[in-house]
Amino acid sequence: MPKERPPQDKASDLASIAMIEKAAADGAIDAFCRADAQGVTCRFGTDGVCCRMCHMGPCKITPRSPLGICGANADTIAARNLLREVAAGAAAHSDHCRHLVQLFKAVAEGRGGDYRIKDETRLRRAARSWGVDEVGLPALEVARQLAEVFTKEFSLQEGKVKTLELAPGPRQAIWDRLALAPRGIDATVVEALHRTVMGVDHDYRNLIHAALKTSLTDGWCGSMIATAIGDILFGTPKPVRSRANLGVLEAKKVNVLVHGHEPSLTEILAIAARDPQMLAAAKAVGAEGINLAGICCTANEVLMRHGVPVAGNFLQQELAIVTGAVEVMITDVQCCMASLPNVARCYHTKIITTSPIAKNVEAEAVEFDDSNALDCAKAILRKAIDNYPNRDPRKVAIPDAQSPMVAGFSNETIFSMLGGTFRKSFRPLNDAIISGRIRGIAGIVGCNNARDCTDAYITTLTKELIQRDIIVLQTGCAAIACGKQGLLTPEAALHLAGNGLREVCEAVGIPPVLHMGSCVDNSRILLAAKFVLDEGGLGNDFSELPAIGIAPEWMSEKAVAIGHYFVASGVDVILGRPFYTLGSQALTKYLCEDLQEIVGAKFHYISDVNQAIETVVEHIERKRDALGINRKLERKLYDMKDRRELNV
Ligand code: SF4
Ligand code: MSK
């Protein structure tokens, strides 16, 4: 029998540990148990040298059989597998985007039901960014033209997607020179899949070229557009106070959890949950009200815009049900575990799927209809209210754990906070980096992973980096991990940040760790880096910035795509666990060394958090040296001639 880890090796926060113990007592099997039951992982899978691209296989690469039946070697097989992961990750973000584009188009054409354009300023700014001349046009016409531009980004057969033009010029030139600029999203993902079919692309370098190109359809297209539409339709996030961890569930209210990634349903649910009729219905069954909270990135979407509290990140989706206090968990797409109905069976919780492309045989499917959104949302809430009397008080144990946090750091907000109302600007950030009070920028993003001690790497790394005066930008489940630890408050700067970073945070009133949104909102991090470059003094290309990306506990194929688009953009990426490439020395070297020469950035596989901290610091200081901003100012005695030259 494989050995089972003690709860404190599975999770690092006390609420999760308590729920892991309760799950065991209640007979609920969680992801940690299943991870332990998996035992030692299959070596061929971990090394990326298992191939099932055709039905002569599956083939595996060993010293005795170094080639598959078709002759593919470890380099080809591992690179093909990796490209398929990038294609899947990019497809997930982009299909999420497609749904939003269709909704945006419907709104523009007056078919948007309960949805409206909420942020016209953002609409007009987006229109200008994507080349739509909005001057003098009514908002809906601007939206119609912009929706057309967005739609073409999917179907473009030749040339390159327009969204790439949002990147800095020097980076676009690199993409052009290397033929990395992708055509439409759909065509690029299809091409990636074609290239991995048996008997097509066998050159691992060419396959990684395809992986980088495909990833750009995610970060510099699908995700970028999804973020823009989210802001236009639901509002551009502004700093908002909220709370995080399982303690946000309320014993006397109907608890409704939203989980997944799509913001359209949750936006309407946030409205429906405040509806007096709904509240009256909740009271009629003996509850004090309705408590809406979130898991994963759907949570991040409603947190950023409405301050809806976050019950937990990826590995707390089952643990939230284990509290025994959740009436309904509503899932949409991505990161919703297949196990949810099994865990829910130990309690009274109903699992409701809402997407026609994401069902579960054991869950109730309530298809969410954008054109009738409010009624759908209310129907789902009624199911939650009806389920409240079924709650078994003997099974309820809500951990007394929640931390305050501030989220909502869109770039628009950062501009205003740094520059003030009258002169919106990134200048103070650039000045602080140039003067050395802030050493650099780290983006810490991504999931948590049931094979690791949940959140431990993310939170240790974050605390250490802010202590060393590195400002941290976060998204996704990594941001929630830090929210739970109280790292997303301005007060965190007071006792955890280094002196330089603290001074800056205090001066402008921001936390040292900025929550910038969901996984698709990594596009906000790309744009933040661009705004830093635009402000001047820190180079012309991303590869010159004292900045780095880290995915400490990643697990999703989406993270594979994200890592690739950061590297393709010239930003180094540290991965807390390697891609499935270790079975190919050549491929691993290509990703972790050779790409530096080609795109100006590379991957680092670093499972040890202390080594990651050192690597981040070294990387940032090396970039600072190259920019010449680490030069110690020499003391010089000026004579009159010098003074006249200085004009003082
Ligand atoms: Fe084996 Fe080649 Fe088929 Fe892969 S594509 S399963 S290596 S024969
Ligand atoms: S939800 S992709 S576990 S960050 Fe975006 Fe979290 Fe990773 Fe899913």
Side-chain angles (χ1 to χ4, degrees):
M1 276 292 286
K3 202 161 156 269
E4 179 146 4
R5 292 167 291 170
Q8 52 282 8
D9 288 356
K10 295 175 174 175
S12 58
D13 76 290
L14 295 177
S16 295
I17 292 171
M19 288 306 99
I20 289 169
E21 286 166 348
K22 182 173 185 293
D26 293 349
I29 310 290
D30 60 37
F32 305 99
C33 298
R34 293 191 297 272
D36 289 346
Q38 284 285 325
V40 179
T41 49
C42 165
R43 188 66 197 267
F44 301 112
T46 328
D47 284 353
V49 292
C50 169
C51 182
R52 39 194 293 283
M53 301 306 191
C54 88
H55 284 247
M56 291 192 288
C59 297
K60 61 185 191 300
I61 300 303
T62 68
R64 260 187 350 110
S65 59
L67 299 176
I69 296 171
C70 68
N73 62 15
D75 307 336
T76 301
I77 291 172
R80 276 197 306 218
N81 289 337
L82 188 63
L83 174 54
R84 280 207 173 183
E85 288 194 70
V86 171
H93 284 147
S94 297
D95 211 33
H96 165 159
C97 172
R98 188 196 314 275
H99 180 203
L100 285 168
V101 171
Q102 286 169 338
L103 177 60
F104 182 50
K105 187 166 184 284
V107 170
E109 292 170 356
R111 302 180 283 109
D114 299 306
Y115 298 98
R116 301 273 177 282
I117 286 167
K118 194 157 178 190
D119 189 340
E120 190 177 328
T121 309
R122 179 73 160 102
L123 167 72
R124 291 186 182 277
R125 200 171 44 250
R128 291 191 295 275
S129 299
W130 269 274
V132 173
D133 183 6
E134 48 83 33
V135 180
L137 294 182
L140 285 185
E141 177 55 21
V142 177
R144 198 193 60 73
Q145 292 189 20
L146 188 55
E148 238 172 61
V149 174
F150 289 161
T151 305
K152 270 202 202 119
E153 295 293 71
F154 287 87
S155 59
L156 186 75
Q157 300 298 317
E158 285 172 9
K160 54 186 179 185
V161 282
K162 189 158 185 57
T163 309
L164 295 184
E165 291 170 19
L166 269 55
R171 187 47 44 178
Q172 290 184 52
I174 292 171
W175 293 335
D176 287 343
R177 177 168 52 78
L178 297 173
L180 276 173
R183 54 189 167 143
I185 295 169
D186 293 346
T188 306
V189 173
V190 167
E191 183 193 297
L193 293 178
H194 176 191
R195 287 166 74 156
T196 59
V197 163
M198 184 265 168
V200 186
D201 202 345
H202 297 125
D203 179 340
Y204 68 93
R205 299 160 306 179
N206 208 34
L207 287 157
I208 296 309
H209 180 276
L212 296 171
K213 183 170 75 171
T214 306
S215 75
L216 291 176
T217 65
D218 180 347
W220 288 101
C221 202
S223 286
M224 194 68 73
I225 293 172
T227 298
I229 296 178
D231 290 354
I232 294 166
L233 291 183
F234 313 128
T236 303
K238 298 187 177 65
V240 61
R241 283 201 174 266
S242 190
R243 297 161 288 131
N245 214 341
L246 295 169
V248 307
L249 296 171
E250 295 196 37
K252 294 185 177 162
K253 288 190 178 171
V254 175
N255 287 306
V256 178
L257 284 182
V258 289
H259 175 21
H261 283 79
E262 291 199 341
S264 48
L265 166 61
T266 36
E267 275 294 315
I268 297 290
L269 273 168
I271 296 165
R274 295 192 295 264
D275 182 287
Q277 271 185 341
M278 287 289 117
L279 293 172
K283 291 212 166 112
V285 296
E288 288 181 358
I290 299 170
N291 180 36
L292 186 68
I295 298 277
C296 278
C297 282
T298 294
N300 284 325
E301 296 278 1
V302 273
L303 162 73
M304 293 283 283
R305 299 192 175 93
H306 299 283
V308 168
V310 179
N313 50 7
F314 175 65
L315 283 169
Q316 287 178 299
Q317 58 184 286
E318 296 171 310
L319 304 182
I321 297 171
V322 174
T323 64
V326 175
E327 274 55 58
V328 157
M329 180 181 277
I330 303 162
T331 63
D332 51 72
V333 291
Q334 303 166 21
C335 302
C336 306
M337 286 190 191
S339 62
L340 292 174
N342 289 334
V343 177
R345 203 173 301 126
C346 298
Y347 308 93
H348 72 301
T349 309
K350 270 185 199 287
I351 307 295
I352 296 183
T353 64
T354 54
S355 167
I357 64 161
K359 294 189 178 182
N360 186 315
V361 278
E362 295 185 59
E364 185 176 343
V366 178
E367 196 165 320
F368 176 61
D369 175 5
D370 281 340
S371 64
N372 193 16
L374 195 57
D375 286 346
C376 275
K378 285 184 180 173
I380 294 172
L381 286 186
R382 255 182 230 111
K383 286 179 190 287
I385 293 167
D386 291 346
N387 198 23
Y388 180 76
N390 297 326
R391 192 191 283 185
D392 180 351
R394 291 164 306 173
K395 287 193 174 173
V396 174
I398 302 174
D400 182 18
Q402 55 178 307
S403 293
M405 66 171 165
V406 180
F409 289 94
S410 56
N411 283 307
E412 291 74 3
T413 288
I414 299 173
F415 261 115
S416 305
M417 297 196 80
L418 289 173
T421 315
F422 300 107
R423 190 183 171 269
K424 296 182 175 184
S425 163
F426 265 56
R427 194 69 242 162
L429 177 62
N430 283 42
D431 286 345
I433 294 173
I434 292 166
S435 71
R437 279 181 300 160
I438 293 178
R439 309 303 300 171
I441 304 169
I444 302 181
V445 305
C447 330
N448 36 38
N449 190 310
R451 296 201 183 262
D452 302 325
C453 180
T454 302
D455 299 344
Y457 191 148
I458 295 167
T459 53
T460 308
L461 177 69
T462 304
K463 284 182 201 163
E464 270 298 322
L465 295 187
I466 60 174
Q467 213 278 319
R468 294 172 190 228
D469 293 319
I470 293 166
I471 193 165
V472 175
L473 310 181
Q474 293 194 328
T475 59
C477 290
I480 300 174
C482 288
K484 289 188 282 174
Q485 295 279 328
L487 296 171
L488 303 185
T489 61
E491 298 76 37
L494 286 176
H495 59 285
L496 291 168
N499 291 340
L501 178 59
R502 183 169 63 230
E503 262 176 41
V504 177
C505 289
E506 283 180 336
V508 290
I510 55 171
V513 186
L514 300 179
H515 187 335
M516 298 189 77
S518 63
C519 328
V520 293
D521 293 334
N522 283 315
S523 59
R524 293 192 206 276
I525 297 184
L526 291 176
L527 286 183
K530 176 186 187 281
F531 295 137
V532 168
L533 285 177
D534 288 349
E535 199 59 57
L538 290 169
N540 298 311
D541 179 49
F542 291 133
S543 58
E544 295 176 72
L545 284 176
I548 193 162
I550 309 126
E553 300 174 32
W554 70 279
M555 63 84 201
S556 169
E557 287 169 318
K558 292 178 289 171
V560 182
I562 293 167
H564 277 78
Y565 71 63
F566 269 91
V567 167
S569 301
V571 180
D572 277 40
V573 169
I574 295 177
L575 299 167
R577 55 179 51 242
F579 293 140
Y580 296 143
T581 64
L582 295 180
S584 163
Q585 273 183 9
L587 175 61
T588 303
K589 177 176 171 296
Y590 193 70
L591 294 166
C592 299
E593 294 177 29
D594 303 353
L595 281 182
Q596 180 69 50
E597 285 302 307
I598 301 166
V599 290
K602 61 180 189 280
F603 291 100
H604 307 249
Y605 294 167
I606 305 179
S607 58
D608 176 67
V609 64
N610 293 314
Q611 197 189 331
I613 293 161
E614 294 316 317
T615 303
V616 170
V617 171
E618 273 167 28
H619 178 83
I620 281 177
E621 293 305 323
R622 203 169 39 248
K623 296 286 176 184
R624 293 181 60 86
D625 284 340
L627 285 167
I629 55 174
N630 266 352
R631 253 193 334 241
K632 292 221 169 43
L633 293 176
E634 283 172 24
R635 290 192 60 185
K636 180 174 185 335
L637 292 175
Y638 288 94
D639 58 18
M640 275 317 286
K641 182 170 165 280
D642 292 328
R643 281 175 199 281
R644 266 195 296 275
E645 276 170 11
L646 283 169
N647 202 18
V648 292

